[in-house]
Amino acid sequence: MFKVLLGASTALVPLSALASTDVPEADQIIVTASPLNKPASELSSPVAVVTGDELKKQLRATLGETLGREAGISTTFFGPGASRPVIRGLGGDRVRTLTNGVGTIDAAASSPDHATPIDPLLAQRIEIVRGPQILRYGSSAAGGVINVFDGRIPSEVPEDSVNVIARTAYSTVDEGFENSLAGSFVVGQVKGLDVVLTAAAATRDADDYDIPGFAESSILRSMEEEEEHDDDHDDDHDEDEEEIRDTLENSFVEQQTFSGGLSFIGEKGFLGFSVQHTEKEYGLAGGHDHGHGHEEEEHDDEDHDEEEEEGGAFLDLEQTRYDLNGSFQTGGFIDRIDVYAGVADYEHVEFEAPGEQGTVFSNEGFEGRFEAVQATNGNWSGATGIQIRSRTFSAIGEEAYVTETEKDQVGLFTFQEVDLGTATIGAAARFEQTQLDNPESGVDRQFDGFSASLSGTMRPSEGLTVTANLFRNERAPTTEELFSNGPHLAVGAFEIGDTNLDIETATGLELGARINGDRFRASLTAFVNSYDDFIYQEQTGLTGADILMMRGEDDEEELEEFGELPVLQYIAADATFVGFEFEADVDLGEFGAFEVSTDLVVDYVEATLNEADSMGNDHLPRIPPLGVTVGLDAQAPFGSFRAEVEHAAEVDDVASFELPTDAFTLLNLYADWEIVPNLSFEVAALNLLDEEARVHTSFVKDEVPLPGRNLRFALRYEY
């Protein structure tokens, strides 16, 4: 397929056509946020860009953790191996993660224990996109888009013909080592075009991480003690689990990523290709041992000790992907054509223990997007495109809760905008057809969705921008929402889909204001999203044993292994999300050699069902609490320093069968010094006070706390 893409793209745009007009500079233009190449300050919705010093400081093992302190962002934290971003309380298939403008083509959206094969170590810039711009990427981007740029397909010639970034780091909390090396090089010219070669590699090796106290939360331990008392028995195995503390067992991570790219760059655009291979192995912390707890009880002490030494359940991931990206100035009514394409072969194996292979998840997929950008005609500009996505997803093995499903999707979209001087009015629309075929069940569903948005930006005075966005988004149900039917041990549940689910419709209004002064900058965004047939997992109160007995499946081994799992049923119900995000930073002035500033981020979302569920509860599960982050920065010619306080409020209003989550406050310190030109030394003290912290948006928050005190030391070289 990659050869077909390569041939088609080369036939479409000869290399000689890449020769006049400037390609926009990446540090000035947020390319992914708008096909119209508009600066972020002119967009109607906030687009956050994490790059440079901020990215270096906030760098964590996963994408979700790296972005967790950005406005409106939380994380699905499933240990250090798997953590996806949650945007405004929405996650899973409602948040798209991209690399260089193309989807990750993995299995991450299907379950929180599945990792995204993106290594933040190689990221050069990360964009968080919300608002009308998301229509470029499909209805599954309803919550937002996370686009990670790693530079493996360069669109510009590197300065001095060579760019190299190298980093090595050590962290105390997990005795972890991180290493990365990335470079781009001008290797010559072909028909007047600069030929740029890129290469990158990153490795991570971390042991189980330290935690400040017990692995299980106090409320979970209290419940277990009460159950033991009520049952009037003594379970040594449970007592052992309660005593797990100070180090979170089975939280190791090993990862390797290698990539290479080749770009032909001229004055009229560029055409580039890349290949990337990722391997990752990580423990599924939190006692999710795929049923082996029952088997261990039957073993004698010697066998039990031997199995403990072997280790618990873990996931072994591998992906190889090929990408194409090009941008070509054409002149005439269509001023520019942009092409994005990627094809990947993804597989991960869930091992119940070392040497004991469990379920194999596979995803072979393709995604392509073609955009035609109109030449500006007076005050009118626009862009129109087509997006194609295709994947074959399967899970084979004991935990095959989703059988093989083919999914094909085609989307047509357009953006049109009129600039009135002090105001800009924009409109966008997308038609999307989704086909899902599950041969085993004999179900073949087709969904036709139409999404649209209307946006306005006003600049009533210098430094003040007021924005408004009205949108309607129709999303087809996913493979998992339709066809799940079995035990999913990693999240400790028996999951059941509904093949009768229909399109989920969101209607939303977002209002915002941005102030940009000489020493003070602030933005406030408020939103309300109303969902018709919002699809979510309701905990029914039943157990796996109830379902198996209803089906006439009374296999003793299955009942013992899956019988106690709570049943999560995908259902559709009307729901409302209301919230806000506030950001501000103030330049406090110069103090000696330092320029000092302070910043504040506050975000909040409330998500409720319009009608109470079967238990009389109207709260949706795993909604992030009020978050506040306050920082103090000091910049000097020889280095920089930052102190940061991160607070998450207590969560008492919870969904049925969901446990409350305590508030936490973390103190983080960062510093870096330039040792010699191009070489810097970085130190970070994360969770300096060693506070216990649990992320309410995590499926395993009562068994998997965040890491304890961590000192991270790094050397970084940039040329």
Side-chain angles (χ1 to χ4, degrees):
M1 183 177 288
F2 179 62
K3 291 180 179 178
V4 174
L5 283 173
L6 177 59
S9 62
T10 306
L12 178 66
V13 184
L15 292 179
S16 58
L18 298 178
S20 111
T21 30
D22 296 329
V23 176
E25 295 184 12
D27 59 351
Q28 295 177 342
I29 302 297
I30 309 304
V31 179
T32 67
S34 169
L36 307 181
N37 277 7
K38 296 179 69 66
S41 59
E42 296 181 14
L43 296 175
S44 60
S45 277
V47 176
V49 184
V50 184
T51 187
D53 289 341
E54 182 183 2
L55 180 55
K56 289 189 293 185
K57 289 180 173 64
Q58 299 299 343
L59 192 64
R60 304 294 196 274
T62 61
L63 188 59
E65 292 177 271
T66 298
L67 300 177
R69 282 146 293 281
E70 295 297 312
I73 306 293
S74 186
T75 169
T76 60
F77 190 73
F78 210 96
S83 178
R84 278 173 52 87
V86 174
I87 302 180
R88 295 178 174 176
L90 299 172
D93 189 60
R94 298 182 186 91
V95 173
R96 290 215 66 198
T97 54
L98 314 174
T99 56
N100 305 305
V102 178
T104 50
I105 312 177
D106 53 24
S110 66
S111 177
D113 66 307
H114 298 171
T116 295
I118 294 177
D119 195 333
L121 285 174
L122 295 177
Q124 297 180 5
R125 186 171 92 250
I126 303 175
E127 297 176 4
I128 305 165
V129 184
R130 286 162 286 210
Q133 298 82 16
I134 64 175
L135 293 185
R136 296 176 73 192
Y137 307 106
S139 60
S140 58
V145 172
I146 308 292
N147 200 349
V148 180
F149 294 87
D150 56 18
R152 59 188 150 100
I153 302 182
S155 60
E156 297 177 330
V157 178
E159 296 181 11
D160 301 322
S161 299
V162 176
N163 275 348
V164 176
I165 302 175
R167 180 180 181 273
T168 184
Y170 172 76
S171 54
T172 60
V173 76
D174 53 10
E175 298 183 357
F177 290 90
E178 299 175 345
N179 300 284
S180 61
L181 175 64
S184 56
F185 319 89
V186 178
V187 295
Q189 287 196 335
V190 174
K191 296 183 179 181
L193 305 174
D194 289 302
V195 181
V196 180
L197 179 69
T198 66
T203 64
R204 173 179 286 105
D205 189 350
D207 294 335
D208 296 345
Y209 66 78
D210 296 335
I211 54 176
F214 289 100
E216 291 186 345
S217 66
S218 58
I219 187 170
L220 182 58
R221 297 201 316 275
S222 297
M223 290 174 60
E224 290 177 342
E225 289 174 2
E226 185 176 341
E227 288 176 4
E228 289 176 12
H229 181 267
D230 291 342
D231 293 342
D232 193 26
H233 76 276
D234 183 15
D235 190 330
D236 294 335
H237 180 68
D238 288 343
E239 289 179 3
D240 290 341
E241 282 194 355
E242 286 184 15
E243 295 303 318
I244 296 176
R245 59 175 304 162
D246 301 329
T247 299
L248 183 63
E249 295 179 359
N250 205 33
S251 58
F252 70 91
V253 179
E254 296 179 9
Q255 181 171 353
Q256 302 86 38
T257 302
F258 305 95
S259 69
L262 182 68
S263 282
F264 301 91
I265 303 174
E267 294 181 349
K268 278 193 173 180
F270 75 97
L271 178 65
F273 314 89
S274 74
V275 58
Q276 178 173 282
H277 182 76
T278 300
E279 297 180 3
K280 186 171 186 177
E281 185 177 298
Y282 58 93
L284 296 175
H288 301 282
D289 56 1
H290 292 237
H292 278 262
H294 298 292
E295 295 178 11
E296 287 171 1
E297 293 175 8
E298 300 175 3
H299 292 185
D300 56 30
D301 292 339
E302 182 179 346
D303 291 338
H304 179 77
D305 293 340
E306 182 180 341
E307 189 161 318
E308 282 194 340
E309 289 177 5
E310 289 179 354
F314 65 95
L315 192 149
D316 191 355
L317 174 158
E318 185 172 346
Q319 183 196 58
T320 301
R321 63 176 293 154
Y322 305 91
D323 287 270
L324 176 150
N325 186 203
S327 182
F328 320 105
Q329 298 282 350
T330 56
F333 176 73
I334 301 300
D335 179 63
R336 192 181 81 248
I337 293 175
D338 296 332
V339 179
Y340 304 83
V343 59
D345 185 1
Y346 170 95
E347 181 180 278
H348 81 246
V349 182
E350 296 187 359
F351 285 86
E352 300 179 351
E356 297 183 27
Q357 179 174 310
T359 304
V360 179
F361 288 80
S362 174
N363 185 18
E364 296 180 0
F366 163 78
E367 180 174 334
R369 193 170 73 254
F370 179 94
E371 297 174 345
V373 182
Q374 302 157 206
T376 301
N377 183 6
N379 59 357
W380 174 38
S381 57
T384 301
I386 182 172
Q387 182 186 37
I388 300 173
R389 297 174 63 191
S390 178
R391 81 164 189 170
T392 300
F393 177 80
S394 66
I396 301 172
E398 182 182 13
E399 195 184 324
Y401 67 99
V402 181
T403 53
E404 181 173 320
T405 306
E406 294 183 6
K407 178 179 179 179
D408 295 295
Q409 189 177 82
V410 177
L412 300 173
F413 58 89
T414 187
F415 293 81
Q416 302 298 321
E417 191 171 271
V418 178
D419 189 346
L420 304 177
T422 59
T424 302
I425 298 175
R430 179 185 180 96
F431 172 77
E432 182 176 277
Q433 185 175 90
T434 304
Q435 187 87 23
L436 294 107
D437 182 16
N438 185 272
E440 182 167 317
S441 66
V443 176
D444 187 349
R445 297 288 307 275
Q446 178 177 305
F447 302 92
D448 295 333
F450 179 77
S451 302
S453 67
L454 183 65
S455 62
T457 303
M458 295 184 60
R459 294 169 286 276
S461 62
E462 185 176 357
L464 175 62
T465 303
V466 179
T467 63
N469 294 287
L470 179 65
F471 73 89
R472 175 184 172 85
N473 184 83
E474 294 187 343
R475 181 184 74 90
T478 67
T479 298
E480 295 75 23
E481 292 165 347
L482 291 170
F483 303 115
S484 291
N485 188 19
H488 189 182
L489 293 163
V491 297
F494 199 104
E495 299 189 0
I496 301 177
D498 183 352
T499 57
N500 295 314
L501 290 172
D502 211 335
I503 280 180
E504 171 187 281
T505 303
T507 304
L509 175 64
E510 176 190 277
L511 301 174
R514 299 193 290 264
I515 299 174
N516 191 2
D518 293 335
R519 298 180 59 182
F520 175 75
R521 292 157 296 278
S523 68
L524 174 64
T525 305
F527 62 89
V528 55
N529 299 332
S530 177
Y531 282 86
D532 293 333
D533 296 327
F534 180 81
I535 301 172
Y536 76 104
Q537 287 181 311
E538 180 185 53
Q539 188 161 337
T540 62
L542 299 174
T543 66
D546 297 324
I547 300 299
L548 292 172
M549 296 300 288
M550 288 178 191
R551 297 174 178 173
E553 301 175 15
D554 55 358
D555 182 271
E556 185 175 339
E557 184 176 342
E558 284 194 350
L559 287 172
E560 184 177 12
E561 190 167 8
F562 309 135
E564 295 183 3
L565 296 178
V567 174
L568 299 183
Q569 169 74 58
Y570 281 103
I571 65 170
D574 296 345
T576 302
F577 287 66
V578 179
F580 71 89
E581 296 145 10
F582 176 75
E583 298 180 81
D585 63 88
V586 182
D587 297 333
L588 299 179
E590 296 185 5
F591 296 84
F594 295 97
E595 294 183 2
V596 181
S597 63
T598 185
D599 55 80
L600 171 68
V601 174
V602 182
D603 53 41
Y604 175 75
V605 61
E606 180 179 281
T608 55
L609 298 168
N610 293 1
E611 295 183 7
D613 63 18
S614 58
M615 303 297 295
N617 192 322
D618 65 354
H619 295 288
L620 284 167
R622 292 175 296 281
I623 300 301
L626 171 72
V628 180
T629 302
V630 182
L632 183 68
D633 273 292
Q635 303 282 337
F638 53 84
S640 66
F641 305 89
R642 175 176 174 80
E644 178 182 273
V645 176
E646 176 187 354
H647 176 75
E650 180 182 22
V651 181
D652 278 334
D653 295 328
V654 295
S656 300
F657 304 101
E658 187 178 37
L659 298 182
T661 303
D662 291 335
F664 65 82
T665 302
L666 306 181
L667 173 63
N668 304 316
L669 303 178
Y670 309 88
D672 65 83
W673 297 269
E674 187 177 58
I675 302 173
V676 296
N678 303 324
L679 180 64
S680 61
F681 177 61
E682 305 168 2
V683 178
L686 309 176
N687 190 6
L688 184 61
L689 303 181
D690 203 31
E691 290 292 316
E692 180 178 323
R694 300 179 187 273
V695 180
H696 187 72
T697 46
S698 168
F699 264 91
V700 292
K701 52 109 176 171
D702 288 293
E703 298 165 305
V704 182
L706 292 175
R709 182 185 298 111
N710 184 22
L711 300 180
R712 187 180 68 198
F713 307 94
L715 279 173
R716 184 182 182 90
Y717 176 80
E718 295 187 48
Y719 176 80

